[in-house]
Amino acid sequence: MKYSPHSYQTYATEYIENHPIAAIFLDMGLGKTSITLTAINNLLFDSFEVHKALVVAPLRIAKTTWADEIRKWDHLQNLRYSVAVGTEQERIAALKTSADIYIINRENVQWLIEESGTPFDFDMLVIDELSSFKNHQTKRFKSLMKVRPKIKRVVGLTGTPSSNGLMDLFAEFKLLDMGERLGRFIGQYRNQYFQPDKRNGQIVYSYKPLPFAEKRIYEKISDITISMKSTDFLKMPQLISSEYTVSLSEDERKKYEQMKAELVLQTSDGEITAANAAALSNKLCQMANGAIYDDDGNIIEIHQQKLDALEDIIESANGKPVFVAYWFRHDYERICKRLQKLHIPFSKLDTDESIRRWNNGEIPVALIHPASAGHGLNLQSGGNTIVWFGLTWSLELYQQTNARLWRQGQTENTVVIQHIVTKGTIDEQILKALQKKDGTQAALIAAVKAEVEV
């Protein structure tokens, strides 16, 4: 296929070529893979500044997306690529294959650098989904930092650079510039831009940005960063977000409040305990969804309000496909049981075949976990309605799941996102937290937004 880039794509490609270190924050659907491949192709064969490139990506994207894009475009047909995923034997064979670009999943980065026995002689590194390297304590981050001085060019790609706030940026930019802009140490970064927030005596549990922090951080990184939002450059369908509120009965409310207050819920089937705040949050989310695991792993149903709401939403769709995001295993099992009772055909989207059937309009109700709905899946052909049965604290997973349908190529004029929210529960707090995180990230995007003529 002939590549006819939009002006913003040309701008982003040239930015990568002209900046040895480049943070490219592109919204979902803007074509970051083809943009980056075009830049690599030019650097390999036009300016001869690159000889061997490494792409680190999430597993599904590493397996298919980059190779698909290379095969898709006419101008990339000279690019030789090798995909190093699978068994250790398969990965070693792929690394020994002569190629211009080597593609590996992020889980095998440490293996590549420390165990594969293959010389790390890549002079360009592309990190697809830079946000997955936001933790400076992970093994893959530390392994990449060991070889970072050997790499002449680094490109970081993501649409969600600070999904959990500005603290995420430290590790991401240290990987890009080895600490030149935001500092070499997390303590240095924290002391300069943040102040203690929640604490217990000398123990600090969280930090919040100082009043000037956002502006100064943006200024520090602006010389190597561009950002673009899909709504600025693409004709996107209208996005309609709404809440379907359900209420607990008096008895169900008492159980919920008891768990919240005492961290222990006595049931007729057993005892459930929440040892800490994270576990409590998990338990409250389960209860808001309608069921909970006891200490033996048994499922205890609390209510069916969300199932009733989902039934109403599917019925009101009048046969149009519905895309349902769930969080807990018992959510999935209970949804399946209700759909079977209603004789409504459904499928979990977890295989290439199920994804093909969804996009062909053969699945009335598709069930997907946000963690597997993520980067790179094109599901917009199958429908335009997303129902969040269970919410997630992760802004990145939330945005990426919504972007499976709300993206370029969506044939409908609108995409509808329905959140089933249990009134007076942690559901309401999660929605507010997502909105707050999105505000922080939106500020980052706006601060470094590239001035591109469309």
Side-chain angles (χ1 to χ4, degrees):
M1 183 182 297
K2 182 175 175 55
Y3 186 60
S4 300
H6 298 282
S7 59
Y8 74 85
Q9 291 176 314
T10 300
Y11 179 91
T13 295
E14 292 176 352
Y15 192 91
I16 293 173
E17 293 176 45
N18 295 328
H19 291 76
I21 301 172
I24 311 296
F25 298 160
L26 270 67
D27 220 344
M28 300 85 168
L30 287 179
K32 66 179 184 292
T33 307
S34 61
I35 286 169
T36 308
L37 283 169
T38 302
I40 294 173
N41 189 66
N42 294 342
L43 290 166
L44 279 165
F45 304 124
D46 288 348
S47 62
F48 306 107
E49 293 183 43
V50 170
H51 301 92
K52 190 176 180 182
L54 175 68
V55 174
V56 176
L59 179 58
R60 186 185 291 272
I61 297 178
K63 287 174 65 176
T64 59
T65 303
W66 283 82
D68 288 348
E69 286 291 310
I70 293 172
R71 292 193 296 264
K72 179 178 180 180
W73 303 111
D74 292 348
H75 72 299
L76 301 178
Q77 294 311 299
N78 290 329
L79 276 178
R80 299 173 302 158
Y81 67 91
S82 184
V83 181
V85 301
T87 65
E88 183 173 19
Q89 186 176 2
E90 290 170 334
R91 297 195 302 270
I92 290 174
L95 291 171
K96 289 182 177 179
T97 301
S98 181
D100 304 306
I101 302 177
Y102 294 81
I103 306 161
I104 194 167
N105 57 307
R106 58 197 179 197
E107 293 82 4
N108 281 317
V109 166
Q110 183 189 13
W111 170 84
L112 169 66
I113 296 169
E114 300 177 12
E115 302 173 30
S116 69
T118 304
F120 195 92
D121 54 356
F122 304 97
D123 51 11
M124 182 171 183
L125 170 66
V126 176
I127 305 172
D128 192 350
E129 293 312 329
L130 179 64
S131 56
S132 63
F133 285 83
K134 62 192 174 188
N135 186 345
H136 69 286
Q137 296 179 316
T138 59
K139 292 179 180 179
R140 62 188 178 210
F141 176 87
K142 292 177 180 178
S143 294
L144 265 184
M145 285 305 300
K146 290 178 182 178
V147 296
R148 174 62 187 85
K150 299 180 180 181
I151 306 167
K152 293 192 303 183
R153 287 182 166 272
V154 182
V155 180
L157 305 172
T158 187
T160 51
S162 56
S163 58
N164 290 304
L166 296 171
M167 197 68 77
D168 288 353
L169 298 179
F170 168 76
E172 296 171 14
F173 276 85
K174 183 176 180 181
L175 196 52
L176 293 177
D177 68 5
M178 293 185 284
E180 180 181 342
R181 286 162 182 80
L182 299 183
R184 295 176 55 205
F185 305 104
I186 185 66
Q188 174 188 353
Y189 178 67
R190 202 158 42 209
N191 292 337
Q192 190 168 359
Y193 298 108
F194 298 84
Q195 62 185 6
D197 185 14
K198 297 177 182 177
R199 62 191 306 166
N200 182 4
Q202 296 299 313
I203 302 174
V204 179
Y205 294 107
S206 64
Y207 292 83
K208 61 182 179 181
L210 290 164
F212 59 82
E214 290 190 33
K215 183 175 184 294
R216 290 194 184 174
I217 290 172
Y218 302 154
E219 289 173 350
K220 285 281 188 181
I221 65 175
S222 63
D223 65 317
I224 60 168
T225 306
I226 61 170
S227 69
M228 301 174 181
K229 294 190 74 67
S230 55
T231 49
D232 295 332
F233 302 102
L234 301 177
K235 188 178 183 339
M236 298 287 286
Q238 182 183 5
L239 186 65
I240 299 174
S241 180
S242 62
E243 297 178 25
Y244 190 119
T245 303
V246 299
S247 299
L248 299 176
S249 69
E250 185 176 346
D251 182 55
E252 294 158 358
R253 169 66 57 190
K254 286 180 180 178
K255 291 179 180 179
Y256 183 89
E257 293 300 332
Q258 182 182 351
M259 168 65 88
K260 184 177 178 180
E262 302 175 15
L263 310 189
V264 176
L265 173 62
Q266 297 289 345
T267 73
S268 58
D269 301 309
E271 183 179 276
I272 303 162
T273 61
N276 52 48
L280 173 60
S281 169
N282 187 280
K283 296 295 186 185
L284 294 181
C285 287
Q286 291 182 47
M287 294 186 74
N289 290 359
I292 193 167
Y293 294 111
D294 66 14
D295 289 345
D296 296 320
N298 301 310
I299 300 172
I300 301 173
E301 188 165 72
I302 305 297
H303 66 82
Q304 296 193 359
Q305 274 89 341
K306 283 201 174 185
L307 290 172
D308 294 340
L310 179 60
E311 183 177 337
D312 290 344
I313 292 170
I314 293 172
E315 183 179 352
S316 64
N318 292 319
K320 293 184 67 176
V322 176
F323 185 79
V324 181
Y326 66 91
W327 192 251
F328 299 103
R329 189 181 74 246
H330 59 59
D331 292 342
Y332 173 75
E333 293 174 359
R334 293 169 62 242
I335 292 170
C336 290
K337 187 175 180 181
R338 175 64 68 95
L339 294 176
Q340 288 168 347
K341 181 179 178 181
L342 297 171
H343 303 291
I344 296 174
F346 66 93
S347 177
K348 185 179 181 181
L349 293 188
D350 59 353
T351 64
D352 292 340
E353 175 61 16
S354 62
I355 291 170
R356 183 197 64 78
R357 291 181 59 228
W358 164 259
N359 280 327
N360 287 343
E362 300 171 14
I363 300 177
V365 178
L367 307 179
I368 196 160
H369 192 284
S372 61
H375 315 291
L377 289 185
N378 296 319
L379 304 173
Q380 70 272 17
S381 299
N384 69 320
T385 300
I386 304 172
V387 179
W388 283 88
F389 184 89
L391 295 169
T392 170
W393 287 103
S394 171
L395 175 66
E396 182 174 3
L397 291 181
Y398 176 75
Q399 290 183 331
Q400 289 285 355
T401 301
N402 291 337
R404 297 314 101 211
L405 302 190
W406 189 60
R407 63 191 291 120
Q408 189 178 25
Q410 172 60 251
T411 57
E412 299 291 334
N413 292 325
T414 60
V415 169
V416 178
I417 302 177
Q418 287 260 30
H419 309 86
I420 304 179
V421 177
T422 304
K423 186 177 180 181
T425 70
I426 199 169
D427 278 355
E428 296 176 337
Q429 298 172 42
I430 295 174
L431 271 182
K432 289 179 181 177
L434 289 171
Q435 292 165 357
K436 184 178 180 181
K437 290 177 184 177
D438 191 37
T440 301
Q441 186 162 288
L444 169 62
I445 297 297
V448 294
K449 182 178 291 186
E451 295 294 331
V452 184
E453 292 183 8
V454 183

